[in-house]
Amino acid sequence: MSNLASDYTRITYPNGLYDYLVRKANAAVSEIFIDISFPIIQINFLNARRKGSPKTVDWLFEELSTRIVRVTRKYRIDIGQLAHRRDIMVEFAMDKTSQKINLTGYHLLPLKSFGNMLSIVVWSYIVFITGKKPSDDEESQRLHKKFLDSFEDYKDYWNHMPRKKKPIYDEKACYICGEPAFALNIWTYKTKDKDLEIATPVCKKHKDRLI
Ligand SMILES: [Zn+2]
């Protein structure tokens, strides 16, 4: 019997696709406040950089924790049954000079969700360093828009890549909207060493999308 079905049981994306978006998030504020190394992302809020409310970091922590639960349900992400969600985890740490949020298991999130999450992270960081919300301040808005524009370009770029369609054998959610998927879009991410095959589950409405 073909083992095709189980090949894509656990769908993940290559690090490079996440690294790129993190670089764009850092570039938007011209600081390296997010460190990424597989499978952990650390968001660093240096106390010395803070102009806004100290509650901003708490807010982000709560927001990310809530989102992770929502996203894993929405996209039916296959997280460790016995590990009690250990595969995707948000943690908070604090010392004299900084507050940090660690997100473990980001590679299990669909890239669209990941980008949306980074948008919230960048938004919070802007509020943290300027004390001004992007909706209330032109300069803050410009910084946030830099990330949003990069994310739109990124989706546009990858969604134009060639792909093959394969039938789906188990229940998956469309990685664009969360509705039941009917096929897998198989596309290629090239690295220096090898080509990685990626599978994005899609519904009929999003049949042409990869991200
Ligand atoms: Zn869809």
Side-chain angles (χ1 to χ4, degrees):
M1 210 180 119
S2 163
N3 200 31
L4 243 190
S6 60
D7 288 352
Y8 299 109
T9 301
R10 193 170 172 118
I11 292 166
T12 58
Y13 292 92
N15 297 355
L17 286 167
Y18 296 89
D19 287 352
Y20 180 87
L21 279 179
V22 166
R23 282 205 301 278
K24 290 296 173 184
N26 284 329
V29 294
S30 308
E31 279 184 45
I32 299 178
F33 77 106
I34 310 176
D35 289 322
I36 178 166
S37 63
F38 184 79
I40 300 173
I41 282 178
Q42 185 167 78
I43 308 155
N44 295 297
F45 292 84
L46 277 180
N47 294 342
R49 298 288 293 126
R50 181 173 73 78
K51 286 212 184 92
S53 162
K55 287 185 178 156
T56 306
V57 186
D58 296 344
W59 178 86
L60 179 63
F61 177 75
E62 292 297 329
E63 180 66 20
L64 290 180
S65 305
T66 310
R67 273 177 180 247
I68 291 289
V69 174
R70 209 188 305 148
V71 164
T72 52
R73 278 192 200 135
K74 178 174 176 180
Y75 296 103
R76 300 190 210 178
I77 293 169
D78 180 26
I79 50 174
Q81 295 287 313
L82 299 170
H84 302 288
R85 292 191 180 279
R86 271 184 56 226
D87 289 354
I88 308 182
M89 211 162 39
V90 188
E91 285 175 312
F92 177 77
M94 189 166 126
D95 60 29
K96 282 200 183 99
T97 58
S98 67
Q99 298 177 76
K100 298 179 202 305
I101 294 174
N102 290 340
L103 173 63
T104 309
Y106 61 84
H107 60 294
L108 300 173
L109 301 174
L111 285 164
K112 180 172 159 265
S113 291
F114 182 74
N116 288 339
M117 220 173 268
L118 277 187
S119 168
I120 299 284
V121 170
V122 173
W123 187 93
S124 310
Y125 194 71
I126 291 167
V127 174
F128 181 80
I129 60 172
T130 67
K132 288 167 186 159
K133 289 181 188 169
S135 54
D136 300 339
D137 176 66
E138 224 171 83
E139 177 57 12
S140 296
Q141 189 173 46
R142 189 183 67 80
L143 299 179
H144 195 228
K145 193 173 178 303
K146 266 169 80 175
F147 176 74
L148 294 177
D149 288 348
S150 306
F151 185 36
E152 286 308 312
D153 290 346
Y154 173 91
K155 282 190 282 189
D156 197 49
Y157 175 81
W158 287 107
N159 282 324
H160 279 89
M161 286 291 140
R163 78 291 307 275
K164 281 179 294 193
K165 231 176 215 62
K166 278 194 183 169
I168 208 160
Y169 296 104
D170 52 358
E171 279 191 16
K172 289 248 181 287
C174 167
Y175 265 24
I176 315 303
C177 72
E179 292 296 312
F182 87 110
L184 293 170
N185 277 339
I186 312 292
W187 47 293
T188 304
Y189 178 75
K190 292 178 195 298
T191 70
K192 266 180 283 170
D193 315 319
K194 57 185 172 196
D195 289 357
L196 295 165
E197 205 174 62
I198 306 175
T200 303
V202 287
C203 69
K204 289 204 165 132
K205 185 176 168 197
H206 297 116
K207 64 181 179 355
D208 296 327
R209 297 273 294 267
L210 304 179
I211 284 174

